[in-house]
Amino acid sequence: MVILTALGIILTLFIGIVNMIYSILNNKKTRFINTVTTSRITWISELRGYISEYISLIPLNGDIYMEKYSERNIFFQSFYRKKLLVELMLNKQDKFDKRILDTVTKIYNFVDEIYKCIDLMYIVKLPYYRELDPMGMEITLKKLIQGLDNNTAIIIKEKYIDLLGITENNDKDNVISMDARMMIYTCETKGIHRIFDAYRICIDKLIEELNHEIKNIVDVCQQLLKKEWDRVKVESEKGKCTGNKKKKLVYCITRQFLVIYCSGFIILIVAFLIILFH
C-alpha cells in the first residue's frame, strides 16, 4: 500500500514537473516569436519607407537635374544618407538583400555620373573655376574628365561621333581609335561646341538606364517584402520561427532532452527520499 502511494505521489510529481517545465519553455518560445514577429513587421515597414524615400529623391529628367544643379551638394548629402539607411537595413549574405544592395549602389552611381556630365557642361559655373589661372583651369578640366566612369566616357564619345555625322572611313577611324577621355579633352580645349550636345544626350541615356534600375529595385523589393510578410504570417499562425532546419531540429531535441532529464532527476530524488524516510 505504501509503495502504491509512493508511486502515485511520484507519478503526480512527474506529471506536474513535466507540465511546469513545458509551460515555462512554451511561454518563453511564444514571447520570443511575438518579439521576432513584431520586429520583422517593423523592419518591413522601415525598409519600404527608406527605399521609397531614396527613390523619391531622384530627379525625373535631365531638365530637373540642371535646374537643381546649384543644390547638388545638399542633394547628395540627403541622397547618400538615404543610401546608407537602406544598406544598414540589409544583409549582404542574403540573396534578395544583396540584389537590393547592388541595385541601390548602381542607382547612386548613375546619379553621380549624370552630375559629372553636368559638371562638364557647366564647368564655368563652378564657384571656384573662374578664380583659377589657366593652369588651374586645365587641371580642373582634366580632373573632371578623369572622374568619368569608362562607360560614361564611351557613351559621350559615341554620341559625339553620331552628332558629327562622320562617314569617311579615315576620319571615322581616327576618331574611333582615340581614347574616349582624350577625345573629350581635345573637344573641350579646342572649343568644339557639339561636345556640349553629346553631354546632354549622354545624360538622357544614363537617365534611361537609371529608370531601368529603379524598376529593378522596386521588383526585387516587392519579392523580398512578400517573402518576409508570408514568413511573418506563417510564424504567427504556427507559433514558431521559420529558418534553418538543422538549428530547429537541434533546438527541439535539446529541449526534449532537458525536459526528460530534469523530470527523471527530480523523480529519482523524490523516490530516494521516500525510500529513505520509509
Side-chain angles (χ1 to χ4, degrees):
M1 187 67 181
V2 175
I3 295 175
L4 290 175
T5 303
L7 289 175
I9 294 172
I10 292 172
L11 182 60
T12 303
L13 283 172
F14 175 76
I15 294 173
I17 291 169
V18 170
N19 184 61
M20 180 184 68
I21 294 174
Y22 177 79
S23 297
I24 292 172
L25 293 175
N26 190 59
N27 288 338
K28 288 178 66 177
K29 183 188 72 172
T30 302
R31 287 196 300 271
F32 173 74
I33 293 299
N34 290 338
T35 302
V36 171
T37 301
T38 302
S39 299
R40 187 170 287 122
I41 291 173
T42 303
W43 175 81
I44 290 173
S45 177
E46 289 181 352
L47 179 62
R48 183 189 289 116
Y50 289 149
I51 291 176
S52 62
E53 289 172 6
Y54 180 68
I55 294 174
S56 66
L57 289 174
I58 302 171
L60 297 175
N61 55 58
D63 293 334
I64 298 176
Y65 278 97
M66 294 177 189
E67 288 173 6
K68 296 186 175 182
Y69 178 71
S70 60
E71 304 170 4
R72 60 166 296 178
N73 291 334
I74 298 174
F75 164 78
F76 268 109
Q77 286 180 357
S78 179
F79 195 50
Y80 185 69
R81 179 177 176 275
K82 297 299 181 184
K83 175 176 176 286
L84 287 180
L85 287 173
V86 174
E87 290 175 342
L88 291 171
M89 295 287 289
L90 299 170
N91 173 20
K92 64 181 180 180
Q93 303 300 326
D94 182 82
K95 180 181 71 173
F96 280 98
D97 287 18
K98 189 176 186 307
R99 287 175 62 188
I100 294 176
L101 287 169
D102 291 343
T103 308
V104 164
T105 301
K106 286 181 181 178
I107 288 173
Y108 186 88
N109 291 339
F110 272 124
V111 173
D112 189 41
E113 287 300 308
I114 290 169
Y115 270 111
K116 286 178 182 177
C117 290
I118 300 176
D119 282 341
L120 286 168
M121 292 174 67
Y122 292 163
I123 187 171
V124 294
K125 294 184 178 181
L126 294 175
Y128 57 87
Y129 187 77
R130 293 182 180 180
E131 301 175 2
L132 299 174
D133 56 25
M135 180 64 70
M137 291 180 178
E138 182 180 353
I139 292 173
T140 300
L141 176 61
K142 287 182 177 179
K143 185 177 179 181
L144 291 176
I145 295 172
Q146 289 299 321
L148 292 172
D149 181 75
N150 286 333
N151 182 58
T152 305
I154 291 171
I155 292 174
I156 293 172
K157 176 183 174 181
E158 291 174 349
K159 300 307 176 184
Y160 175 74
I161 292 173
D162 292 341
L163 285 170
L164 291 182
I166 298 174
T167 55
E168 295 182 9
N169 290 334
N170 290 336
D171 291 339
K172 191 169 185 178
D173 290 342
N174 289 335
V175 175
I176 290 175
S177 63
M178 290 182 67
D179 176 75
R181 291 185 177 85
M182 180 57 68
M183 191 211 73
I184 295 170
Y185 177 75
T186 302
C187 292
E188 286 284 355
T189 53
K190 290 186 177 181
I192 301 176
H193 297 297
R194 297 311 299 271
I195 193 65
F196 186 93
D197 297 328
Y199 293 149
R200 181 55 199 266
I201 296 173
C202 178
I203 289 171
D204 292 337
K205 175 68 175 176
L206 291 173
I207 290 175
E208 182 181 332
E209 295 181 11
L210 172 62
N211 290 334
H212 177 71
E213 293 300 333
I214 291 174
K215 183 179 182 302
N216 282 344
I217 197 173
V218 171
D219 291 341
V220 176
C221 285
Q222 287 175 342
Q223 296 174 35
L224 173 64
L225 296 176
K226 182 180 183 303
K227 183 192 76 169
E228 291 297 329
W229 187 247
D230 289 343
R231 187 174 171 184
V232 167
K233 289 192 290 186
V234 170
E235 290 174 359
S236 299
E237 292 171 0
K238 294 186 177 181
K240 59 183 179 181
C241 287
T242 58
N244 190 298
K245 293 183 178 180
K246 290 183 178 179
K247 289 183 178 179
K248 289 194 296 181
L249 180 61
V250 171
Y251 171 76
C252 291
I253 293 174
T254 303
R255 187 180 66 180
Q256 292 175 3
F257 173 78
L258 287 174
V259 170
I260 296 171
Y261 177 80
C262 293
S263 301
F265 182 72
I266 293 172
I267 289 170
L268 287 175
I269 293 175
V270 172
F272 175 76
L273 291 174
I274 290 173
I275 295 171
L276 180 65
F277 288 104
H278 179 71

